[in-house]
Amino acid sequence: MTTPSGRPAPPRIPEAVHRRRWAILTVLMFSLIIVVLDNSILGVAVKTIASPPPHGLGATQSELEWAMNSYTLVLAGMLFTAGLVGDRIGRKKVLIFGTLLFGFGSGLAALSGSPAELVAYRALMGFGAAFVMPATLAVLVQVFERDEQPKAMGIWAGSVGVAIAVGPVTGGLLLDHFWWGSIFLINVPVVIIAVVCVAILVPDSKDPNPGGLDPLGVVLSIVGLLLLVYGIIHAGELGDFTARSVVGPVVLGLAVLVCFVLHERRSRHPALDMGYFKKPAFTAAVTAVALVFFALMGLTFFSAFYLQSVRGYSALRAGLLILPMAVAQMVFAPRARLAVARFGTRVTCAAGMLLIAVGFMAFALFDTSTPVWVIELAFLAQGVGMAHVSTPVTYLVVQLLPREKAGSGSAVNNTFRQIGGALGVAVLGSLLATRYRSGIEEHLGALPAGARDAAGESIEATFAAAEKLGPAGKALIGPANEAFLDAMHLTSLCSAAITVVGAVVVGAFLPGRTRAGPDRQDPERVPETAARD
């Protein structure tokens, strides 16, 4: 970088910080891994938690969806404010606070005595995680010069792959040897290590001109998302998307979200600056982020039941089978910038979205005898595709915002990740439940009238009902597997269709290849002050 006079520009980052930037990145990755790992561990534990006490909590499918979504919805709703708080009082401070709160919530979740308690404590964990996620990316932007940011962000995004890899395997090992609560209790010592490392290595930073807080915007966003997701999940419980108790919350939730948008457009200190979305590249980038996590969380949810309930694999083996998707993200996320250098952001991300769609279409062909290597190839395709979308769009979002707004900019990126993940679990989980119920209902005649409704909600509920019937219940196993596979096939095809739409969006609006190269690629030639205009 040079000054207008042609002389080298002075370094923006203090030399002491610059020297330890890679150690700082390692600590940031460690902090990010903690909060991402939690959902990946829970993914392999849903079958165990659905089991009757004392092995599990006897959670229904809708309660399992809420256990996942209470975390992601609170996280998504608080990210705007958490990013602004970090910009205002210091990113290091909020990173430590959020990590400690996440650890405290994890300890409570491990001791939950009912599904309702688990949902509440997961929400507390999401509140803590909201202060961690934007702070990690904001600190990264502050300790790396712009020419090194693409590489650093690729490694940062690859840490998500590490969490996805470590989570299911760790969860499987814990569930094979301990009770289900151990998947949350394991977070506590990890949190202690993370806090010590952050305190020692990470420098503090803040925005010299921070924006004001927007409590009304935060409330509107959380209420709107909760109502919307509640309606979608309730539709899966009833097996009916047209019921009044479904349509009412969905319509009300959408109305509240419209009010949120209108409020943000008029607010002097909006939680979410709607002006960012005037840039087509920015809108397409956050849409791609949301769709990738829609795919990831939805796939994690229904693949756990396919591998453990239908195929009969243990939690550990199911976790090992997901490794190709995780390893692919670990390997390709840091290298996605090389694909951007050669083909441009548009082609790279569109190809990644199509590869994710191929992985979904493969699930539409799986049955009880599909070879393991075919399942592994489908997970591998998903992982490679996600790596070539998440890294380029994350860098694109950060490029479009001024550096001093790193916290709020990171919050926008991570908010759409979490909204996509929450909707993935809610939409795909409800579609799965509705289709399953319609396929299994005609086979539940042997059950008492009062037990048929509960037994039709999920494959695990059917298996639990079949076990109570004794030898006569064995006749339900085959139809339950067939009904689940039929539901999974439909869900997979719908997911593939949504992902293809995402490929069209990024292909139409993301920037193509530029002469500036991958590390300096400026999608719309936006100067650092552009986002203020």
Side-chain angles (χ1 to χ4, degrees):
M1 185 182 295
T2 59
T3 63
S5 64
R7 297 177 180 177
R12 180 186 60 83
I13 300 169
E15 180 61 27
V17 174
H18 183 73
R19 282 198 306 267
R20 65 176 191 267
R21 65 194 184 282
W22 297 109
I24 293 170
L25 177 60
T26 301
V27 174
L28 297 177
M29 289 171 56
F30 193 58
S31 299
L32 182 64
I33 285 171
I34 297 171
V35 298
V36 176
L37 178 143
D38 183 73
N39 264 343
S40 63
I41 283 184
L42 185 59
V44 299
V46 289
K47 178 181 180 296
T48 304
I49 297 174
S51 302
H55 300 294
L57 291 176
T60 65
Q61 181 155 316
S62 60
E63 288 170 336
L64 291 173
E65 291 177 40
W66 276 116
M68 300 184 79
N69 279 338
S70 63
Y71 178 88
T72 52
L73 287 174
V74 172
L75 173 55
M78 285 300 302
L79 277 169
F80 301 130
T81 297
L84 287 170
V85 170
D87 289 343
R88 178 180 289 272
I89 70 171
R91 286 112 186 189
K92 179 177 181 177
K93 296 182 184 69
V94 300
L95 182 55
I96 291 175
F97 167 76
T99 305
L100 287 172
L101 188 59
F102 178 86
F104 179 66
S106 297
L108 293 175
L111 304 176
S112 299
S114 68
E117 287 184 16
L118 179 60
V119 170
Y121 294 140
R122 288 272 298 161
L124 180 61
M125 293 169 66
F127 188 88
F131 289 87
V132 175
M133 295 190 76
T136 60
L137 187 54
V139 171
L140 183 153
V141 173
Q142 297 299 320
V143 301
F144 282 91
E145 297 288 358
R146 187 171 288 275
D147 59 346
E148 284 188 319
Q149 285 180 11
K151 181 178 180 180
M153 287 182 190
I155 297 172
W156 177 86
S159 65
V160 175
V162 174
I164 295 171
V166 172
V169 176
T170 303
L173 285 169
L174 290 170
L175 291 172
D176 275 2
H177 295 89
F178 305 100
W179 96 113
W180 65 267
S182 61
I183 66 170
F184 298 111
L185 198 60
I186 192 67
N187 291 335
V188 176
V190 178
V191 160
I192 294 172
I193 296 171
V195 167
V196 172
C197 292
V198 169
I200 294 173
L201 289 173
V202 175
D204 205 0
S205 63
K206 62 179 69 175
D207 183 353
N209 299 298
L213 300 181
D214 181 20
L216 178 58
V218 172
V219 172
L220 288 174
S221 65
I222 293 178
V223 171
L225 287 170
L226 281 173
L227 287 169
L228 178 62
V229 171
Y230 169 79
I232 295 171
I233 292 177
H234 190 50
E237 288 181 290
L238 300 177
D240 183 3
F241 281 84
T242 62
R244 289 185 180 181
S245 57
V246 171
V247 175
V250 169
V251 171
L252 185 57
L254 291 173
V256 173
L257 291 175
V258 169
C259 293
F260 166 73
V261 172
L262 294 175
H263 169 73
E264 296 304 285
R265 293 181 64 180
R266 298 175 181 177
S267 175
R268 293 182 59 187
H269 302 289
L272 175 60
D273 189 344
M274 304 308 295
Y276 295 157
F277 295 92
K278 293 179 180 179
K279 303 178 186 301
F282 183 91
T283 303
V286 296
T287 299
V289 166
L291 288 174
V292 165
F293 274 75
F294 181 99
L296 175 62
M297 295 305 297
L299 176 68
T300 300
F301 188 77
F302 70 71
S303 66
F305 286 102
Y306 169 68
L307 295 173
Q308 296 182 55
S309 299
V310 176
R311 300 300 295 264
Y313 299 143
S314 67
L316 176 58
R317 188 172 182 186
L320 291 171
L321 288 174
I322 299 175
L323 274 179
M325 179 172 69
V327 172
Q329 292 195 58
M330 292 168 57
V331 172
F332 288 100
R335 294 170 174 79
R337 62 193 177 90
L338 303 178
V340 174
R342 183 165 185 175
F343 304 108
T345 305
R346 179 188 301 129
V347 172
T348 300
C349 292
M353 297 294 286
L354 290 176
L355 200 53
I356 294 171
V358 168
F360 272 124
M361 286 188 282
F363 268 87
L365 303 174
F366 290 174
D367 57 27
T368 56
S369 59
T370 300
V372 169
W373 67 268
V374 176
I375 300 174
E376 298 290 75
L377 283 179
F379 279 126
L380 181 66
Q382 292 271 358
V384 174
M386 291 172 185
H388 283 89
V389 177
S390 59
T391 301
V393 297
T394 297
Y395 181 56
L396 185 63
V397 167
V398 172
Q399 264 194 321
L400 286 168
L401 302 179
R403 191 190 303 271
E404 64 272 13
K405 301 296 181 184
S408 56
S410 172
V412 173
N413 182 65
N414 284 311
T415 294
F416 277 83
R417 286 177 183 244
Q418 299 309 317
I419 291 173
L423 290 177
V425 173
V427 173
L428 300 184
S430 295
L431 180 61
L432 186 78
T434 300
R435 184 72 170 196
Y436 177 79
R437 182 184 291 275
S438 66
I440 197 63
E441 276 182 336
E442 62 184 86
H443 301 282
L444 299 178
L447 295 174
R452 292 172 194 168
D453 187 61
E457 185 171 297
S458 69
I459 188 172
E460 278 302 306
T462 304
F463 285 172
E467 186 176 351
K468 291 179 181 178
L469 286 177
K474 292 182 179 179
L476 285 175
I477 303 301
N481 285 335
E482 291 177 8
F484 180 86
L485 288 172
D486 176 64
M488 186 180 77
H489 295 163
L490 175 65
T491 305
S492 301
L493 289 174
C494 291
S495 303
I498 292 170
T499 311
V500 169
V501 171
V504 173
V505 171
V506 300
F509 297 107
L510 288 189
R513 186 180 180 186
T514 69
R515 295 180 182 179
D519 292 349
R520 293 178 175 82
Q521 179 171 291
D522 195 345
E524 294 184 350
R525 299 291 183 185
V526 181
E528 288 193 8
T529 57
R532 302 191 194 107
D533 299 335

